[in-house]
Amino acid sequence: MLNKHSLSTLATWPWAVLTPVLLFVAIAIFALWISPYDPTTQNYSAVLQGSSWEHWLGTDYLGRDLLSRIITGAQVSLVAMSIVLIAALIIGVTIGSFAGYVGGKTELVLISAIDIILSLPSLVVALAFIGIIGPGYWSMIAALTMAWWANYARMSRAVVTSELHQPYIEAARVMGASHLHIFVRHILPHVLALVVVYASADAGALVLAIATLSFLGLGVEPPTPEWGQMLVDGMNYLEQYPRLVVLPGLALTLVVSSFNLLGEHFALKKVPRGLTQRHLKILKRLRAQEEARISELEASA
Amino acid sequence: MLTLIARRTLLALAMILAASALTFALIAAAPGNVAALIAERTAGPSASAELVQSIADDLGLNDPLPVRYGRWLSDSVAGDFGGSLRTGKPILEEFAERAPVTGLLLVCGGAIALIMSLTIGMLGAISNGGKIDSLLRALSLAGASTPNFFVAALLVMLFSVTLGWLPAFAGSSAASWIMPCLTIALFPCSVLSRVVRVNLQEIMSRPFATTGFAMGYTRLGVLTREALPNIAVPYLTTFGAQFTLMIIGSIVVETVFAMKGIGAFFIEAIRFRDFISMQATLLSFIMFFVFVNLFVDIICLLIDPRIRRQSNA
Amino acid sequence: MNKLKKEPLFKVKDLVIDLYTEQVSVRAVDSVNLEVNAGEILAVVGESGSGKTVMTLGPLGLLPEGVSVDIRGQSQCSGQDLLNKPARELAKLRGENFGIIFQDPISALNPMKKVGPQLASQAVRLRGVSKQQGKEIAIELLQRTGIPDPEDRYNRYPHEMSGGMLQRVMIALALVGNPKILIADEPITALDATVQAQILELLKDIQCRENIAIILITHDISVVAQMADQVAVLYAGRIAEYGTMEDVLTRPVHPYTKGLLSSVPDLRSKRGENASGPAGITGSPPDQSSLLPGCRFVERCPVAQTFCSKFRPPLEVLPHLSQRHFVACPVAVESTIEQMEGEAYEQ
């Protein structure tokens, strides 16, 4: 869990699973400076080129630099994903906490609505919303937010319900603290601690959803570079120029795996696992050295 | 036991009602009047206000929402989903043509995912920390992270373009089904094999697994005899969830391989803003999700003796 | 020791067990020697974490998964080496020679399986009988372990039975293969006080009738007094004191044993204390994750000398008539011998 304590001990952070994600975030943030060309500038004198010194990964059918498009695609994905995640968190935590805090009939109605949304796969909910409000970048964002908030609402409500019964809340209430004060000071931190970690593990699924919607032509629209949409563009050139499909697909897979790896790290911590052979060997050697040192000490005494 | 099943079934029906009412209300609130859309399609952009009005009257669009919902639901239950705004064909006819495609895709994909995930999860548990375990772990992580349209593209590249073994688009031949089924199975298979692996590992550290060892079984014996029956409930629950998620897989796969299934129909309906088809498809999806979950719930009830016996008493 | 004595049924020699996880490396068992003969009850006593379970179940390959185990030394059952056996043969040997009873029968029985058929299939496997005979054996075993109405219980699931009944099932399961050795790991700790006595009675009864050896792992001195022939007192993975029940309980020598005994107000009391440690000894058990020279008890020991933290105390035999009372504390041994000589002189 991330809390103030572990923030101060950077050494204990899971760097192995964190590094790929941070690398992706860095590329996305500095996309403008890293990418050698403008990702949307067409160049008809350099169409469908292979890799060269000018274009490391070649160019696409409109002569746009593929490397620049992939780098900018990272930014597009990250931005869209962050907007959705933050919006869904705000909506989810607000509605869920409200339901849990108020209780009674309001809670019942809200939780039923949440359950209905959760009984459908998120992407189907998102597709239904896009169907209603029409395709486009912002409707994709809105649709994904509508599909994702219910998860966090449900979780927030569970935390609020369990926290409300803690004795210290009673104590605060007896001492005359207002509802808002109790909620913000005592309950919200618990909600956020759980939900934010869970949401970070959701990032991979969200990147995948954005790419899928764009692939279906219902998300990010051309000419904005987005990996899923680049891939569907490249499908027409699959036979002659497979890299137009493989490179964006690979970028997408790598980013999603790194998020999933991070999510797995949080989710699977509790299951006991045996050590790997190599790790065990090292530990055994250390122990043998320790043993030798002790017997030497005992002999010399 | 029976009352428990009956209660779950009632709950499922209530769920279908609530979910369909919600979608109906949302679609009714959508910008863009259905009547105007129809008028535009039939008479072109210069459709008169009277035409729109008469179409709305014909469809009963001016009635209050609950009345419309009731009418729509009773028609749908009777099999009359109305006509597609795009093709004009009755939607029931479209469903009858397309459902077998999606159904076959789901069943084949589900079967592949079932068999492969149990095999892979078991192999991982047998290897337990060995090279095979690490390899399978990495593969299932990759499988769960690769978008299925990319998987489809890679398969086409390998089997159609390079090797020329399989057709790149769906046809009537059995061979043309291989790539769609593999594509749709990869994601659930990866997730489920992790579920098998992790749950087996967890159960192998429980005291009754040690009892199994004490009874004179080898690790393989304990895994198959003691651990495997105990992962049935978590496995089936996840399998149900993954099976419903395969609807999304089918939407993508049907689009990539140009298959005429329900998923492709849904996407076309969204693109053409064909609200009537969308509504009908969503209803069928909701029913599919709810019934799969109900089915899994009931099987879990039947499998787990702790629940089964309690409800008898 | 008597050199003509026949080979013991089960013995461990210079047994060292290290447990490794990602966080810590623990020396759970540190050079332990023990023997059990046929028809004997050996009680292994110690606080939780003293290595009593690891020592007994480790050589049989019965430690829970998730921890990596490194075992060195020797461990034999009827002359067969346990430590270098292939997994398959070790599993066979476990099934045929050992019966094991665990602390908490509710979690130690597979929740998805009916108790009777479990016993029956085990009988089919280990005794090579037909399915019908297997069922008969199962019912007979349920009867023999004192389960009323065994035909009815045959088809029950574990969650449908009480803890005491389940422990009887556990014992029946351990007896199916006609084992030579029964290992009972805290067999009564998880049970109600009234049931505890019955289960001990049953174990004693089985041991008398079948003439099998029992290794009884417990932290409860009153259980030891009631059951044991031999006692091994374990502290931090090492044997502190080892001998016959009379010697160890009535003439304790090691300061740890003394503390352990003084913390028991009445030997007939059935309620033992658990993880918190015996009241007669101050402090808590040492951290076993790093190796240190000297005696492990030194920090809590009332008679500790400076050299105690420099040498590992050897296990010395006391000059009783039995010649089988071993103590790993030179300070206590010396003073005891002086005392005994003094008594002899007075007489």
Side-chain angles (χ1 to χ4, degrees):
Chain A
M1 288 272 158
L2 297 173
N3 53 33
K4 276 179 194 153
H5 178 70
S6 62
L7 278 175
S8 62
T9 51
L10 284 173
T12 63
W13 279 35
W15 286 112
V17 292
L18 218 51
T19 312
V21 171
L22 291 179
L23 196 67
F24 160 65
V25 173
I27 288 175
I29 290 174
F30 300 110
L32 209 59
W33 291 278
I34 305 174
S35 42
Y37 293 88
D38 180 87
T40 55
T41 304
Q42 302 175 0
N43 179 0
Y44 290 101
S45 60
V47 170
L48 290 169
Q49 284 188 349
S51 50
S52 62
W53 281 112
E54 285 80 49
H55 301 282
W56 288 6
L57 298 181
T59 59
D60 70 359
Y61 62 100
L62 293 173
R64 296 174 294 196
D65 181 56
L66 204 58
L67 179 63
S68 307
R69 286 180 69 72
I70 285 179
I71 290 173
T72 315
Q75 189 176 47
V76 173
S77 282
L78 183 79
V79 169
M81 186 263 282
S82 311
I83 298 175
V84 173
L85 213 51
I86 291 168
L89 269 176
I90 293 173
I91 298 176
V93 169
T94 310
I95 295 184
S97 308
F98 179 72
Y101 202 89
V102 174
K105 279 215 178 91
T106 321
E107 181 181 19
L108 194 70
V109 170
L110 285 172
I111 209 70
S112 309
I114 289 168
D115 275 345
I116 289 170
I117 294 175
L118 285 181
S119 74
L120 310 175
S122 324
L123 213 57
V124 168
V125 176
L127 281 171
F129 270 98
I130 290 176
I132 293 166
I133 56 182
Y137 182 76
W138 288 106
S139 64
M140 172 191 82
I141 300 279
L144 286 172
T145 308
M146 288 314 290
W148 246 266
W149 69 272
N151 264 319
Y152 310 132
R154 187 189 205 148
M155 221 180 281
S156 313
R157 178 216 163 230
V159 178
V160 170
T161 315
S162 73
E163 284 301 318
L164 269 184
H165 294 292
Q166 299 292 323
Y168 71 92
I169 299 291
E170 283 297 319
R173 189 162 292 157
V174 169
M175 285 163 72
S178 72
H179 283 295
L180 191 68
H181 177 86
I182 291 179
F183 179 72
V184 173
R185 292 300 298 275
H186 298 294
I187 297 180
L188 195 60
H190 291 273
V191 175
L192 288 181
L194 182 76
V195 177
V196 168
V197 167
Y198 186 88
S200 71
D202 251 12
L206 210 46
V207 169
L208 209 55
I210 291 166
T212 306
L213 288 179
S214 305
F215 176 84
L216 291 171
L218 300 171
V220 180
E221 286 159 329
T224 311
E226 197 284 339
W227 295 333
Q229 174 246 313
M230 283 165 73
L231 202 150
V232 78
D233 262 4
M235 286 296 265
N236 297 328
Y237 302 88
L238 191 62
E239 289 184 30
Q240 298 92 356
Y241 306 102
R243 71 198 148 76
L244 293 182
V245 169
V246 173
L247 291 175
L250 218 53
L252 191 52
T253 306
L254 284 177
V255 165
V256 176
S257 337
S258 56
F259 275 115
N260 285 350
L261 203 62
L262 187 68
E264 196 174 69
H265 177 82
F266 287 123
L268 291 185
K269 234 173 179 177
K270 280 161 203 131
V271 181
R273 263 181 79 82
L275 298 168
T276 58
Q277 293 297 325
R278 228 186 73 214
H279 196 164
L280 186 61
K281 220 170 164 182
I282 295 170
L283 288 177
K284 276 187 187 173
R285 202 183 314 135
L286 284 176
R287 176 104 310 178
Q289 285 169 4
E290 205 180 355
E291 204 169 41
R293 196 167 46 83
I294 296 296
S295 56
E296 208 173 283
L297 264 177
E298 286 188 342
S300 67
Chain B
M1 187 67 210
L2 276 176
T3 55
L4 207 62
I5 291 178
R7 203 185 304 155
R8 291 279 160 98
T9 313
L10 277 178
L11 207 66
L13 290 177
M15 196 72 154
I16 290 174
L17 278 181
S20 63
L22 201 67
T23 52
F24 190 87
L26 285 173
I27 288 175
N33 186 319
V34 175
L37 280 170
I38 295 175
E40 200 181 293
R41 299 249 160 90
T42 50
S46 60
S48 64
E50 290 86 57
L51 181 62
V52 173
Q53 194 55 43
S54 74
I55 290 173
D57 280 341
D58 273 359
L59 291 172
L61 290 177
N62 296 326
D63 295 340
L65 193 62
V67 175
R68 279 159 60 196
Y69 173 64
R71 191 164 53 218
W72 172 72
L73 193 68
S74 61
D75 284 352
S76 299
V77 169
D80 178 13
F81 295 103
S84 162
L85 289 180
R86 188 167 53 86
T87 60
K89 254 173 43 177
I91 294 172
L92 188 66
E93 226 170 83
E94 291 272 7
F95 277 3
E97 266 172 40
R98 288 164 177 270
V101 174
T102 305
L104 192 61
L105 200 54
L106 292 182
V107 169
C108 292
I112 295 173
L114 183 87
I115 296 165
M116 291 293 289
S117 64
L118 284 173
T119 316
I120 291 173
M122 249 336 240
L123 281 177
I126 291 168
S127 156
N128 192 31
K131 285 204 176 75
I132 295 175
D133 191 18
S134 314
L135 180 73
L136 292 176
R137 214 167 96 92
L139 281 181
S140 63
L141 179 77
S145 309
T146 316
N148 37 26
F149 49 86
F150 186 42
V151 175
L154 289 176
L155 287 177
V156 169
M157 238 179 270
L158 180 64
F159 290 111
S160 304
V161 178
T162 311
L163 297 172
W165 290 353
L166 298 171
F169 293 104
S172 52
S173 68
S176 69
W177 281 84
I178 294 179
M179 288 195 294
C181 290
L182 284 179
T183 307
I184 205 173
L186 182 70
F187 185 83
C189 177
S190 309
V191 174
L192 286 166
S193 59
R194 296 291 299 140
V195 168
V196 174
R197 176 72 189 94
V198 168
N199 278 289
L200 281 179
Q201 189 175 323
E202 194 265 331
I203 287 186
M204 288 303 275
S205 58
R206 298 256 199 103
F208 67 79
T210 313
T211 306
F213 281 108
M215 284 163 73
Y217 286 100
T218 54
R219 193 159 185 284
L220 185 63
V222 177
L223 268 172
T224 48
R225 265 184 54 99
E226 313 289 335
L228 210 50
N230 274 286
I231 68 162
V233 170
Y235 180 80
L236 281 174
T237 313
T238 320
F239 186 82
Q242 288 300 318
F243 195 67
T244 58
L245 275 182
M246 277 168 65
I247 277 287
I248 292 169
S250 81
I251 291 173
V252 172
V253 167
E254 285 168 19
T255 309
V256 176
F257 291 103
M259 299 165 86
K260 287 194 179 304
I262 306 264
F265 182 67
F266 186 52
I267 288 300
E268 282 158 22
I270 291 173
R271 286 197 185 129
F272 284 84
R273 313 206 72 198
D274 176 354
F275 290 125
I276 299 183
S277 301
M278 259 167 64
Q279 217 156 50
T281 319
L282 275 175
L283 180 68
S284 70
F285 281 174
I286 289 168
M287 286 174 63
F288 172 72
F289 301 142
V290 171
F291 281 128
V292 167
N293 283 329
L294 177 69
F295 187 64
V296 168
D297 267 5
I298 292 176
I299 292 186
C300 287
L301 283 180
L302 292 175
I303 286 179
D304 195 329
R306 280 160 295 192
I307 306 174
R308 188 171 63 211
R309 290 291 177 101
Q310 257 164 26
S311 54
N312 270 353
Chain C
M1 255 200 260
N2 187 350
K3 285 200 174 161
L4 291 173
K5 205 171 58 95
K6 67 176 170 56
E7 188 68 13
L9 198 51
F10 177 70
K11 76 170 187 185
V12 298
K13 195 160 179 291
D14 301 325
L15 189 72
V16 175
I17 301 182
D18 282 318
L19 303 180
Y20 297 100
T21 67
E22 281 183 34
Q23 287 79 32
V24 283
S25 310
V26 170
R27 170 138 309 178
V29 177
D30 195 354
S31 305
V32 165
N33 296 293
L34 277 180
E35 305 181 347
V36 187
N37 296 308
E40 212 175 63
I41 297 184
L42 167 73
V44 181
V45 193
E47 290 164 83
S48 54
S50 59
K52 40 194 201 304
T53 302
V54 177
M55 179 197 82
T56 335
L57 299 184
L60 296 175
L62 285 180
L63 295 179
E65 283 193 9
V67 180
S68 299
V69 186
D70 177 33
I71 305 185
R72 280 169 289 158
Q74 283 177 33
S75 175
Q76 292 177 348
C77 172
S78 327
Q80 289 194 72
D81 182 22
L82 295 178
L83 296 187
N84 298 315
K85 261 198 183 330
R88 184 169 293 276
E89 282 174 43
L90 183 62
K92 189 161 179 282
L93 188 135
R94 277 197 302 257
E96 287 168 356
N97 291 287
F98 291 88
I100 297 155
I101 303 159
F102 294 100
Q103 177 168 356
D104 179 14
I106 297 159
S107 57
L109 286 163
N110 193 331
M112 300 288 275
K113 290 190 173 165
K114 294 177 181 173
V115 296
Q118 283 239 64
L119 286 166
S121 73
Q122 183 74 345
V124 170
R125 223 166 55 91
L126 292 178
R127 296 195 190 174
V129 295
S130 72
K131 274 194 170 166
Q132 185 55 38
Q133 284 169 308
K135 182 169 181 181
E136 281 161 21
I137 291 173
I139 290 176
E140 186 216 308
L141 272 168
L142 289 174
Q143 187 136 37
R144 217 170 77 199
T145 47
I147 292 177
D149 202 2
E151 276 92 357
D152 174 57
R153 302 288 162 113
Y154 185 86
N155 281 318
R156 295 284 186 90
Y157 284 99
H159 73 275
E160 298 169 315
M161 296 171 79
S162 70
M165 283 299 135
L166 283 181
Q167 196 58 295
R168 290 174 193 271
V169 172
M170 207 61 232
I171 294 171
L173 194 60
L175 292 177
V176 176
N178 290 323
K180 295 180 187 139
I181 304 172
L182 209 56
I183 297 177
D185 184 0
E186 304 262 12
I188 60 169
T189 313
L191 304 178
D192 291 341
T194 46
V195 186
Q196 290 188 342
Q198 296 169 8
I199 294 292
L200 288 183
E201 195 68 32
L202 176 63
L203 284 175
K204 189 97 186 164
D205 184 52
I206 288 165
Q207 186 257 338
C208 290
R209 264 194 301 175
E210 325 257 330
N211 194 38
I212 56 183
I214 296 182
I215 301 177
L216 182 68
I217 302 169
T218 181
H219 62 262
D220 189 338
I221 298 293
S222 65
V223 172
V224 179
Q226 227 172 313
M227 304 281 292
D229 301 310
Q230 306 284 324
V231 182
V233 180
L234 239 61
Y235 184 79
R238 292 177 181 177
I239 288 189
E241 188 156 0
Y242 176 33
T244 61
M245 194 264 282
E246 288 80 17
D247 279 345
V248 175
L249 291 199
T250 59
R251 288 185 286 268
V253 174
H254 197 285
Y256 177 66
T257 319
K258 283 182 178 166
L260 208 59
L261 289 173
S262 72
S263 68
V264 181
D266 176 1
L267 281 187
R268 273 159 300 167
S269 136
K270 295 285 187 294
R271 288 220 169 265
E273 62 288 309
N274 36 35
S276 60
I281 305 161
T282 54
S284 52
D287 170 23
Q288 276 160 268
S289 59
S290 54
L291 305 181
L292 288 169
C295 175
R296 308 300 325 244
F297 188 57
V298 70
E299 283 148 32
R300 303 164 83 184
C301 182
V303 298
Q305 308 281 324
T306 43
F307 66 83
C308 285
S309 56
K310 289 194 179 120
F311 304 98
R312 175 178 178 149
L315 205 56
E316 292 171 278
V317 64
L318 280 165
H320 293 321
L321 282 176
S322 64
Q323 289 285 306
R324 291 208 53 184
H325 191 177
F326 302 89
V327 178
C329 179
V331 182
V333 167
E334 199 179 332
S335 66
T336 309
I337 290 173
E338 272 170 23
Q339 198 185 335
M340 282 164 69
E341 280 168 353
E343 279 165 18
Y345 182 74
E346 274 168 27
Q347 281 163 13

